[in-house]
Amino acid sequence: MLKVHSFQSLGAVDGPGLRYMIFLQGCPYHCPWCHNPDTQSISGGTEYTVEELVARVSRYRSYFDASGGGVTLSGGEPLMQRRGAAELFRALHEVSIRTALDTAGMRPDAGVEALLTHTDTVLCDLKFPDDARYRAHIGIPLQDVLDFLALCERMGKEVIIRHVVVPTMTDSPESVRSISALAHSVLRNPKIELLPFRKLCEAKYQKLGIPFPVAHLPECSPETIRELKQYL
Ligand code: SF4
């Protein structure tokens, strides 16, 4: 059984090819620029069985199969529901549907390993290059994420590191260089994507009646992303 926040039938940016996106409910972290604040609460969401989800996904199979895509579990934080997620991914692999996990990482345990066994692609955020800001802004030690990535590497997973560039917080060349160095310290050949900070989610915060902690910061421009790519 999995607690689902929402579905998106054909996403194009969260894994190879076209993706059927399943956003799970619940996240223990508190990233200041979270674009899905409505998925954070562990209450809410709708429960689905693995069989129901496989049936739902299968209706779109011809679209994502033709593009080399598959199913991506996002959130929220899908590792919060790792047991159900592992069952879903195992069921999808049984019918040869490819799987991707969009996560912020978590200290590895047997449940994480079981989920990775049935994961083809891991999209993992590296949010800050230092432990102090990880603890202060996200709520976990940086080492937990590095240990998670090291496990992905040992298990031979395709890993794509994603880093949100937030003006005044993570947009210096030094910061981006450090992110790249961290990724290379645990992964042999990491792909790293820089994502621009956007404020499209502001309306969600207003609707929820909670403050958007980085509302005062400007969005990140495409030029900044282009410039910073040289430091990867
Ligand atoms: S890990 Fe994702 S869902 Fe959770 S707070 Fe951060 S951005 Fe939001």
PDB file of all heavy atoms in Angstrom, residues 113-127:
ATOM      1  N   GLU A 113      17.915  -0.403   0.555  1.00  0.00           N
ATOM      2  CA  GLU A 113      18.621  -1.320  -0.350  1.00  0.00           C
ATOM      3  C   GLU A 113      17.621  -2.150  -1.168  1.00  0.00           C
ATOM      4  O   GLU A 113      17.817  -2.364  -2.373  1.00  0.00           O
ATOM      5  CB  GLU A 113      19.548  -2.229   0.471  1.00  0.00           C
ATOM      6  CG  GLU A 113      20.516  -2.968  -0.392  1.00  0.00           C
ATOM      7  CD  GLU A 113      21.676  -3.580   0.382  1.00  0.00           C
ATOM      8  OE1 GLU A 113      21.932  -3.159   1.533  1.00  0.00           O
ATOM      9  OE2 GLU A 113      22.295  -4.495  -0.168  1.00  0.00           O
ATOM     10  N   ALA A 114      16.541  -2.589  -0.521  1.00  0.00           N
ATOM     11  CA  ALA A 114      15.538  -3.380  -1.238  1.00  0.00           C
ATOM     12  C   ALA A 114      14.901  -2.551  -2.348  1.00  0.00           C
ATOM     13  O   ALA A 114      14.655  -3.050  -3.456  1.00  0.00           O
ATOM     14  CB  ALA A 114      14.465  -3.866  -0.256  1.00  0.00           C
ATOM     15  N   LEU A 115      14.650  -1.284  -2.065  1.00  0.00           N
ATOM     16  CA  LEU A 115      14.053  -0.416  -3.095  1.00  0.00           C
ATOM     17  C   LEU A 115      15.033  -0.199  -4.251  1.00  0.00           C
ATOM     18  O   LEU A 115      14.663  -0.274  -5.424  1.00  0.00           O
ATOM     19  CB  LEU A 115      13.649   0.926  -2.464  1.00  0.00           C
ATOM     20  CG  LEU A 115      13.147   2.016  -3.417  1.00  0.00           C
ATOM     21  CD1 LEU A 115      11.977   1.533  -4.267  1.00  0.00           C
ATOM     22  CD2 LEU A 115      12.746   3.264  -2.641  1.00  0.00           C
ATOM     23  N   LEU A 116      16.306   0.036  -3.910  1.00  0.00           N
ATOM     24  CA  LEU A 116      17.301   0.273  -4.967  1.00  0.00           C
ATOM     25  C   LEU A 116      17.480  -0.958  -5.857  1.00  0.00           C
ATOM     26  O   LEU A 116      17.777  -0.831  -7.049  1.00  0.00           O
ATOM     27  CB  LEU A 116      18.644   0.681  -4.347  1.00  0.00           C
ATOM     28  CG  LEU A 116      18.697   2.100  -3.774  1.00  0.00           C
ATOM     29  CD1 LEU A 116      20.040   2.347  -3.086  1.00  0.00           C
ATOM     30  CD2 LEU A 116      18.465   3.151  -4.859  1.00  0.00           C
ATOM     31  N   THR A 117      17.277  -2.143  -5.288  1.00  0.00           N
ATOM     32  CA  THR A 117      17.404  -3.370  -6.082  1.00  0.00           C
ATOM     33  C   THR A 117      16.511  -3.313  -7.318  1.00  0.00           C
ATOM     34  O   THR A 117      16.875  -3.808  -8.389  1.00  0.00           O
ATOM     35  CB  THR A 117      17.004  -4.596  -5.218  1.00  0.00           C
ATOM     36  OG1 THR A 117      17.849  -4.619  -4.075  1.00  0.00           O
ATOM     37  CG2 THR A 117      17.138  -5.902  -5.983  1.00  0.00           C
ATOM     38  N   HIS A 118      15.342  -2.674  -7.163  1.00  0.00           N
ATOM     39  CA  HIS A 118      14.389  -2.618  -8.276  1.00  0.00           C
ATOM     40  C   HIS A 118      14.306  -1.223  -8.902  1.00  0.00           C
ATOM     41  O   HIS A 118      13.303  -0.873  -9.504  1.00  0.00           O
ATOM     42  CB  HIS A 118      13.012  -3.081  -7.791  1.00  0.00           C
ATOM     43  CG  HIS A 118      13.018  -4.506  -7.347  1.00  0.00           C
ATOM     44  ND1 HIS A 118      13.087  -5.558  -8.235  1.00  0.00           N
ATOM     45  CD2 HIS A 118      13.022  -5.051  -6.105  1.00  0.00           C
ATOM     46  CE1 HIS A 118      13.110  -6.694  -7.564  1.00  0.00           C
ATOM     47  NE2 HIS A 118      13.072  -6.425  -6.273  1.00  0.00           N
ATOM     48  N   THR A 119      15.349  -0.419  -8.703  1.00  0.00           N
ATOM     49  CA  THR A 119      15.393   0.934  -9.265  1.00  0.00           C
ATOM     50  C   THR A 119      16.421   0.982 -10.390  1.00  0.00           C
ATOM     51  O   THR A 119      17.555   0.550 -10.199  1.00  0.00           O
ATOM     52  CB  THR A 119      15.781   1.955  -8.159  1.00  0.00           C
ATOM     53  OG1 THR A 119      14.854   1.860  -7.089  1.00  0.00           O
ATOM     54  CG2 THR A 119      15.793   3.372  -8.705  1.00  0.00           C
ATOM     55  N   ASP A 120      16.035   1.504 -11.544  1.00  0.00           N
ATOM     56  CA  ASP A 120      16.990   1.608 -12.652  1.00  0.00           C
ATOM     57  C   ASP A 120      17.779   2.913 -12.588  1.00  0.00           C
ATOM     58  O   ASP A 120      18.977   2.927 -12.810  1.00  0.00           O
ATOM     59  CB  ASP A 120      16.241   1.542 -13.994  1.00  0.00           C
ATOM     60  CG  ASP A 120      15.558   0.201 -14.169  1.00  0.00           C
ATOM     61  OD1 ASP A 120      16.247  -0.825 -14.029  1.00  0.00           O
ATOM     62  OD2 ASP A 120      14.340   0.180 -14.410  1.00  0.00           O
ATOM     63  N   THR A 121      17.086   4.015 -12.298  1.00  0.00           N
ATOM     64  CA  THR A 121      17.741   5.333 -12.297  1.00  0.00           C
ATOM     65  C   THR A 121      17.427   6.041 -10.985  1.00  0.00           C
ATOM     66  O   THR A 121      16.280   6.028 -10.528  1.00  0.00           O
ATOM     67  CB  THR A 121      17.225   6.201 -13.465  1.00  0.00           C
ATOM     68  OG1 THR A 121      17.434   5.503 -14.690  1.00  0.00           O
ATOM     69  CG2 THR A 121      17.933   7.542 -13.524  1.00  0.00           C
ATOM     70  N   VAL A 122      18.450   6.642 -10.389  1.00  0.00           N
ATOM     71  CA  VAL A 122      18.253   7.416  -9.157  1.00  0.00           C
ATOM     72  C   VAL A 122      18.511   8.891  -9.472  1.00  0.00           C
ATOM     73  O   VAL A 122      19.574   9.240 -10.000  1.00  0.00           O
ATOM     74  CB  VAL A 122      19.218   6.950  -8.047  1.00  0.00           C
ATOM     75  CG1 VAL A 122      19.040   7.792  -6.784  1.00  0.00           C
ATOM     76  CG2 VAL A 122      19.009   5.474  -7.732  1.00  0.00           C
ATOM     77  N   LEU A 123      17.529   9.728  -9.178  1.00  0.00           N
ATOM     78  CA  LEU A 123      17.704  11.179  -9.281  1.00  0.00           C
ATOM     79  C   LEU A 123      17.829  11.670  -7.843  1.00  0.00           C
ATOM     80  O   LEU A 123      16.867  11.585  -7.080  1.00  0.00           O
ATOM     81  CB  LEU A 123      16.478  11.820  -9.940  1.00  0.00           C
ATOM     82  CG  LEU A 123      16.033  11.196 -11.266  1.00  0.00           C
ATOM     83  CD1 LEU A 123      14.575  11.476 -11.552  1.00  0.00           C
ATOM     84  CD2 LEU A 123      16.898  11.725 -12.394  1.00  0.00           C
ATOM     85  N   CYS A 124      19.011  12.114  -7.460  1.00  0.00           N
ATOM     86  CA  CYS A 124      19.207  12.477  -6.045  1.00  0.00           C
ATOM     87  C   CYS A 124      19.647  13.934  -5.914  1.00  0.00           C
ATOM     88  O   CYS A 124      20.596  14.369  -6.575  1.00  0.00           O
ATOM     89  CB  CYS A 124      20.240  11.561  -5.402  1.00  0.00           C
ATOM     90  SG  CYS A 124      20.474  11.892  -3.634  1.00  0.00           S
ATOM     91  N   ASP A 125      18.979  14.661  -5.048  1.00  0.00           N
ATOM     92  CA  ASP A 125      19.357  16.054  -4.792  1.00  0.00           C
ATOM     93  C   ASP A 125      20.613  16.106  -3.925  1.00  0.00           C
ATOM     94  O   ASP A 125      20.733  15.350  -2.959  1.00  0.00           O
ATOM     95  CB  ASP A 125      18.262  16.777  -3.994  1.00  0.00           C
ATOM     96  CG  ASP A 125      16.953  16.869  -4.754  1.00  0.00           C
ATOM     97  OD1 ASP A 125      16.955  16.672  -5.976  1.00  0.00           O
ATOM     98  OD2 ASP A 125      15.935  17.151  -4.097  1.00  0.00           O
ATOM     99  N   LEU A 126      21.519  17.016  -4.272  1.00  0.00           N
ATOM    100  CA  LEU A 126      22.571  17.439  -3.339  1.00  0.00           C
ATOM    101  C   LEU A 126      22.281  18.912  -3.119  1.00  0.00           C
ATOM    102  O   LEU A 126      22.421  19.719  -4.042  1.00  0.00           O
ATOM    103  CB  LEU A 126      23.958  17.242  -3.953  1.00  0.00           C
ATOM    104  CG  LEU A 126      24.794  16.059  -3.493  1.00  0.00           C
ATOM    105  CD1 LEU A 126      26.161  16.075  -4.164  1.00  0.00           C
ATOM    106  CD2 LEU A 126      24.939  15.991  -1.981  1.00  0.00           C
ATOM    107  N   LYS A 127      21.861  19.259  -1.925  1.00  0.00           N
ATOM    108  CA  LYS A 127      21.274  20.584  -1.730  1.00  0.00           C
ATOM    109  C   LYS A 127      22.283  21.639  -1.295  1.00  0.00           C
ATOM    110  O   LYS A 127      22.185  22.789  -1.678  1.00  0.00           O
ATOM    111  CB  LYS A 127      20.126  20.483  -0.735  1.00  0.00           C
ATOM    112  CG  LYS A 127      18.983  19.627  -1.319  1.00  0.00           C
ATOM    113  CD  LYS A 127      17.892  19.352  -0.334  1.00  0.00           C
ATOM    114  CE  LYS A 127      16.870  18.363  -0.846  1.00  0.00           C
ATOM    115  NZ  LYS A 127      15.946  18.889  -1.851  1.00  0.00           N
TER     116      LYS A 127
END
